[in-house]
Amino acid sequence: MKTIGLGNALVDVLLRLDSDEVLKEVGIEKGAMDLIDRNKMLVIRKARQQLESNTAPGGSVSNSMRAMARLGAHTGYIGKTGTDELSDFYEEELRKAGVTPHLIKVPGETGSSTVLISPDGERTMATYLGPAADLVADELQEDIICKYNCIYIEGYLIVNGSLLRRAMELAKQCGLLVALDLANFHVVRGNRELLHELVPKYVDILFCNESEAEAYTGQPAREAILTLSKEVQIAIVTLGKEGALIAAEGQVTVIPVSGGKPVDTTGAGDHFAAGFLYGFTRNATIEQSGRIGSLLAGNIIDVIGAKIPDERWEQIKLKVNEILA
């Protein structure tokens, strides 16, 4: 099976601050997670030139597609970027990971999510969506989507109802399975009516964490999983340090957590989804797919950022093969 992702194409930048003056300059409260405008983004990028930084391709579904590709899956990615050096970097990193990029490029700066790390270790997140937020339904190309067997859609796109609906309609017209991540409980609460329409109608595989499951169903996770399983073919609720629940064909499978004490939980859900979808494309059992998801999540929480280091992948692949044996 070939899987294509659809999401917000953002570059992640980890920026180590010498002081909190940059935060004052751009007017961001320390420790906050803010959407910022272009002017604030340009101030941050100027400051970045003099500071220690680490850059990586981001966006939750992009993270998943790259992780799947590193395991050997055939994946592609649809997103919208600018025409700057970050756009070139983003495309190059997708290709390096083995993902086929289907990027829509428009003049301007590519969106970025900057994590500003203060000298005391506290993190402030500033996200400039840029072109990523302007992807529209008419820009989706049926001939591209029809080359794949499954589409994995980023939950943050729920705020763009026409885009989300069109993506799901095209996928079904082409005979694809539709997988959706609910992304954030605030997004779910603000778009419950649309979700309750689209999920039962189009979605085959639904990913969410316990707060998102509760926001969608009004029930705690262990009750929500049963409700969700009546609407989709496979429902997955991740539970942090308690692992995950997967419901399919009337059965609930408990997946134990993998890895030790988290260093950074960024990207854990993205990598669980990647592992599960990889197993699913290999015709693995629900339990095997869940264990692969847990394995990848356990590796990403052991490092800073949302990218598993290159040197870990050979060992990960050996463990995946053991799970699939």
Side-chain angles (χ1 to χ4, degrees):
M1 290 181 65
K2 297 181 180 180
T3 306
I4 189 166
L6 172 64
N8 287 321
L10 303 172
V11 174
D12 287 342
V13 180
L14 272 68
L15 194 64
R16 296 187 180 276
L17 304 180
D18 295 330
S19 72
D20 291 335
E21 288 304 310
V22 172
L23 301 180
K24 295 176 183 177
E25 269 187 73
V26 298
I28 300 176
E29 182 182 351
K30 185 176 179 178
M33 298 177 66
D34 284 352
L35 286 175
I36 60 172
D37 60 22
R38 181 175 180 272
N39 290 334
K40 288 185 179 181
M41 177 274 297
L42 290 174
V43 171
I44 291 173
R45 290 193 185 178
K46 184 178 179 181
R48 177 187 162 205
Q49 296 171 4
Q50 276 74 43
L51 297 170
E52 179 187 349
S53 65
N54 181 35
T55 306
S60 64
V61 167
S62 173
N63 292 337
S64 301
M65 293 302 100
R66 285 183 286 109
M68 286 182 70
R70 293 301 298 263
L71 289 176
H74 295 281
T75 65
Y77 181 74
I78 300 171
K80 195 168 185 177
T81 68
T83 49
D84 56 357
E85 71 281 359
L86 287 185
S87 174
D88 296 337
F89 167 79
Y90 198 90
E91 182 170 4
E92 182 182 357
E93 288 296 303
L94 287 174
R95 292 190 186 278
K96 279 184 183 177
V99 180
T100 301
H102 302 286
L103 299 178
I104 298 152
K105 299 185 179 184
V106 294
E109 296 87 5
T110 298
S112 60
S113 182
T114 303
V115 179
L116 302 113
I117 306 172
S118 294
D120 62 3
E122 187 165 358
R123 294 176 170 225
T124 304
M125 185 175 289
T127 299
Y128 168 67
L129 291 174
D134 297 328
L135 182 63
V136 295
D138 288 345
E139 291 174 313
L140 298 176
Q141 297 182 38
E142 183 176 357
D143 61 331
I144 289 175
I145 291 173
C146 285
K147 293 177 181 177
Y148 294 84
N149 309 104
C150 176
I151 186 169
Y152 182 38
I153 302 174
E154 185 172 312
Y156 287 107
L157 299 184
I158 293 166
V159 298
N160 188 338
S162 60
L163 173 66
L164 185 64
R165 187 187 301 276
R166 182 59 178 156
M168 292 181 174
E169 287 174 349
L170 280 177
K172 288 304 179 183
Q173 288 172 19
C174 294
L176 276 69
L177 289 168
V178 173
L180 175 69
D181 167 50
L182 288 186
N184 179 286
F185 72 93
H186 289 299
V187 173
V188 176
R189 285 178 180 172
N191 297 273
R192 283 188 66 182
E193 186 175 342
L194 178 63
L195 281 170
H196 279 290
E197 176 197 348
L198 298 182
V199 169
K201 187 174 182 180
Y202 295 109
V203 177
D204 300 289
I205 305 172
L206 184 68
F207 293 92
C208 54
N209 62 28
E210 50 192 322
S211 63
E212 293 153 9
E214 183 173 350
Y216 181 83
T217 65
Q219 300 170 323
R222 284 168 177 77
E223 295 177 25
I225 190 73
L226 297 174
T227 299
L228 293 171
S229 68
K230 296 174 184 177
E231 297 190 7
V232 298
Q233 180 182 336
I234 301 172
I236 297 117
V237 179
T238 56
L239 305 171
K241 63 182 180 181
E242 295 182 26
L245 302 173
I246 305 177
E249 298 180 351
Q251 299 292 320
V252 177
T253 302
V254 179
I255 304 297
V257 71
S258 177
K261 185 177 180 180
V263 173
D264 179 8
T265 59
T266 304
D270 307 337
H271 283 75
F272 186 96
F276 181 87
L277 288 172
Y278 175 76
F280 189 78
T281 65
R282 291 284 307 274
N283 294 317
T285 66
I286 292 296
E287 182 182 5
Q288 287 172 323
S289 298
R291 287 173 60 197
I292 298 171
S294 183
L295 171 66
L296 263 59
N299 272 272
I300 197 63
I301 64 172
D302 195 37
V303 298
I304 300 293
K307 181 181 179 182
I308 294 175
D310 292 343
E311 62 271 16
R312 291 196 178 200
W313 281 104
E314 285 307 313
Q315 189 64 33
I316 289 171
K317 285 190 244 186
L318 289 174
K319 291 181 179 178
V320 168
N321 288 335
E322 289 176 8
I323 292 171
L324 293 175

